[in-house]
Structures are given as structure tokens and as C-alpha cells.
């Protein structure tokens, strides 16, 4: 079975771990968000690609939810002493090794897809990591105080600065990578991970060619809700949804994506047991729908969520 997942961030990484356990013999491709990417202190940083890689490699910091386990920060302290970079955005020493290697490969002429494959080849990931585009589409946040990079809004302001809108700079000039397009076209199942619908999945969908590839896909497309009982599972999804006028509700997010039978993207939508009352409404939207436990805790529960998503896709 060939499974393609659209994912970003910690929620995407946890879902990917569960999927790998649930379908150990599957050929899994993960089309990842690159809107969080940035150049910092002269190196290319790709937070979502790295979160996915570290999690699948078993070297991620599970307590913090990001970065490498057993990390040190001596280089970051030196950069701060020199007044270079963002003092509130710490690059760990091991993590910095990844960014330096990626930057070297890019400077030598590799695409981001090629550089990602080279980095991933160090580990036994059980999946193929694919940036959705080789172009740069950094997410900027328009606030009352001006325009800042998404990571500054999220880390420095802790998502407290009022948001007017999110903008993926240069996205209109970007295009879906050949590898990501092929992964969608050749998939037997396409899954949308419970990642942030606005700045993770929304950024992926905003890249020209992605929606068209999904619309043309012969595989069923099933999404997993990132909202449980009216609350975001992780991060600032509720704040981001509010900024685009979408309620932090499982059914509202499904309506935001839309049913493929009616010009949207989804064939099915998996919600939490807490949101089972909305199943009838989801079916009226033209979606296959089911309610199951959705908390992506490590080990069995995350794998069971992935199994339920695959079961909904085959129903």
C-alpha cells in the first residue's frame, strides 16, 4: 500500500509515528509544510521537516516536543553574545549540525527535496520525507504592530500578538515539487494529518499544484481532526482558525476543507468521540465520517488513530 500524508509540526510527527506502526509494510510518503522555514544566523532552518525526521528517527526531544534529545546550546550562547540571530529562538548544537548540513547541500546546488533525502538517509525512518515545494514560501503574520515571521509570532510573542492575517510570502510564484506531486498521484490512500489547518495544512494547500493534484487523485482522501471537543489538541490552531474566521470545531474545520464531491478536498473526516454528535452534519456535507478516540499519545493510541483513518478510507 502506498500512503501519502500531508503533515506539519508535532501533531504531524506523532501521527506519522502511529501510521508507521499501524502500516509497517506500507510505502509511506510525507508531504511536509515548509512555511515555517527560515534563514537564521546564515543557516536554513526547516522546523516541520526536522520535527518529522527527528521523531521518526527516534532522536527527538519528546519532553519539549521539538529539537533533538540530549541537546546542548553552547553555540547558541556564543551567537547571542555576538548579537547574531534571534536570542529567543535557540538552535541546539545537534540541531545546528542538521541546519549546517542542509545549508551546505543547498549551497552546492541541491534542491530542498534532494537535501532532505540526503539528511534522511542517515536514519531508518520508515517513510520518505518530501517538502511540498522546493521554493521558499515563508509564513508571515500581519499583526497590529507590523509584519513578522510566523516563528517570531509563535515563539517570541507566544501567539499573543493579535493577528490580522497570515501570508505565505512568494507562494504565488512557487510550485509543487515533482516528488510531492508524484506521491499524491500514485497513492492508494491520502491522509491529512491532525496538523494546524491554517499554517501547516493551509500552507501546503496554498502551493500551486497541490489542490489540483488532490482533486485529480484516484485515492480516497481522509483527514483527521486536530480539534477535540472544541479545543485544539496542540499549539495555536484555535487562534489561527479564529484569524481566518473559522470556528475551532471539528465540523467547522471539515467544512473549511470541504467535501471532494462538492468541490472541496475530503472524502472522509475522522473526529474524536467527544464530537460524535456532529456526525450527521458531516455526512450532510458529503463526507464519510466516524468518531473514535483521537489523542495521539505515543505508542498504541497513535497507531490506532492511524488504523481508524485507513479504515475510514477503505469504507
Amino acid at each position: 500500500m502506498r500512503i501519502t500524508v500531508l503533515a506539519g509540526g508535532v501533531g504531524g510527527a506523532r501521527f506519522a509515528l502511529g501510521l508507521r506502526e499501524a502500516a509497517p509494510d506500507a510505502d509511506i510518503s510525507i508531504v511536509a509544510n515548509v512555511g515555517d522555514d527560515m534563514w537564521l544566523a546564515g543557516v536554513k532552518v526547516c522546523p516541520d521537516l526536522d520535527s518529522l525526521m527527528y521523531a521518526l528517527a527516534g532522536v527527538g526531544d519528546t519532553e519539549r516536543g521539538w529539537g533533538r534529545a540530549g541537546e546542548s546550546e553552547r553555540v547558541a550562547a556564543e551567537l547571542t553574545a555576538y548579537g547574531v540571530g534571534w536570542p529567543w529562538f535557540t538552535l541546539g548544537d545537534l540541531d545546528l549540525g542538521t541546519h549546517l548540513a542542509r545549508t551546505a547541500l543547498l549551497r552546492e546546488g541541491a534542491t530542498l527535496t534532494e537535501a532532505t533525502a540526503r539528511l534522511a538517509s542517515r536514519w531508518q525512518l520508515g517513510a520518505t520525507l518530501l517538502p511540498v515545494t522546493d521554493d521558499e514560501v515563508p509564513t508571515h503574520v500581519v499583526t497590529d504592530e507590523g509584519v513578522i515571521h510566523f516563528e517570531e509570532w509563535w515563539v517570541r510573542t507566544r501567539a499573543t500578538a493579535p493577528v490580522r492575517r497570515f501570508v505565505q510570502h512568494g507562494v504565488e510564484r512557487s510550485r509543487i515539487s515533482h516528488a510531492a506531486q508524484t506521491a499524491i498521484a500514485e497513492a492508494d490512500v491520502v491522509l491529512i494529518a491532525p496538523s494546524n489547518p491554517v499554517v501547516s495544512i493551509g500552507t501546503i494547500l496554498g502551493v500551486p499544484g497541490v489542490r489540483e493534484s488532490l482533486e485529480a487523485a484516484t485515492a480516497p482522501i481522509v483527514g483527521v481532526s486536530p480539534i477535540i471537543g472544541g479545543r485544539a489538541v496542540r499549539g495555536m490552531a484555535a487562534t489561527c482558525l479564529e484569524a481566518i474566521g473559522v470556528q475551532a470545531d471539528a465540523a467547522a474545520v471539515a467544512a473549511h476543507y470541504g467535501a471532494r464531491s462538492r468541490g472541496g478536498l475530503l472524502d472522509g473526516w475522522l473526529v474524536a468521540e467527544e464530537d460524535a454528535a456532529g456526525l450527521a452534519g458531516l455526512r450532510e456535507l458529503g463526507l464519510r465520517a466516524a468518531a473514535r478516540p483521537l489523542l495521539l499519545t505515543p505508542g498504541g493510541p497513535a497507531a490506532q488513530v492511524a488504523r481508524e483513518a485507513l479504515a475510514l478510507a477503505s469504507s
Side-chain angles (χ1 to χ4, degrees), residues 117-248:
R118 176 74 175 275
L119 297 177
S121 68
R122 174 185 176 184
W123 315 100
Q124 298 295 322
L125 301 185
T128 301
L129 295 183
L130 301 171
V132 64
T133 179
D134 290 318
D135 301 310
E136 297 193 357
V137 290
T139 299
H140 292 166
V141 184
V142 181
T143 73
D144 292 339
E145 300 172 357
V147 181
I148 56 178
H149 190 280
F150 170 77
E151 290 292 344
E152 182 174 2
W153 176 74
W154 171 230
V155 179
R156 184 181 66 80
T157 78
R158 298 191 179 277
T160 59
V163 178
R164 293 185 180 180
R165 64 184 183 277
F166 297 97
V167 178
Q168 282 70 44
H169 183 70
V171 70
E172 68 282 354
R173 299 187 297 275
S174 70
R175 67 182 185 278
I176 186 174
S177 71
H178 175 72
Q181 186 175 40
T182 299
I184 294 171
E186 296 183 352
D188 297 307
V189 179
V190 175
L191 301 176
I192 297 180
S195 300
N196 190 303
V198 181
V199 295
S200 291
I201 304 301
T203 299
I204 292 172
L205 296 176
V207 172
V210 174
R211 285 184 176 272
E212 293 82 353
S213 296
L214 292 170
E215 290 167 0
T218 57
I221 301 174
V222 169
V224 179
S225 175
I227 306 295
I228 295 179
R231 300 187 60 170
V233 179
R234 285 190 62 86
M236 75 309 283
T239 301
C240 295
L241 286 166
E242 181 182 355
I244 65 169
V246 177
Q247 185 179 356

Side-chain angles (χ1 to χ4, degrees), residues 293-304:
L294 287 193
L295 280 177
L296 294 175
T297 51
Q304 187 58 33

Side-chain angles (χ1 to χ4, degrees), residues 22 25 48 60 81 83 95 112 154 161 193 196 225 239 250 266 292 301 313:
D25 298 324
D48 283 6
D95 194 31
L112 184 58
W154 171 230
N196 190 303
S225 175
T239 301
L266 298 172
R292 301 289 187 271

Side-chain angles (χ1 to χ4, degrees), residues 7-42:
V10 177
R14 289 188 174 181
F15 183 75
L17 283 170
L19 179 62
R20 186 179 65 180
E21 181 181 342
D25 298 324
D27 180 356
I28 301 172
S29 295
I30 304 174
V31 176
N33 169 46
V34 296
D36 294 12
D37 294 7
M38 69 191 117
W39 288 91
L40 183 64

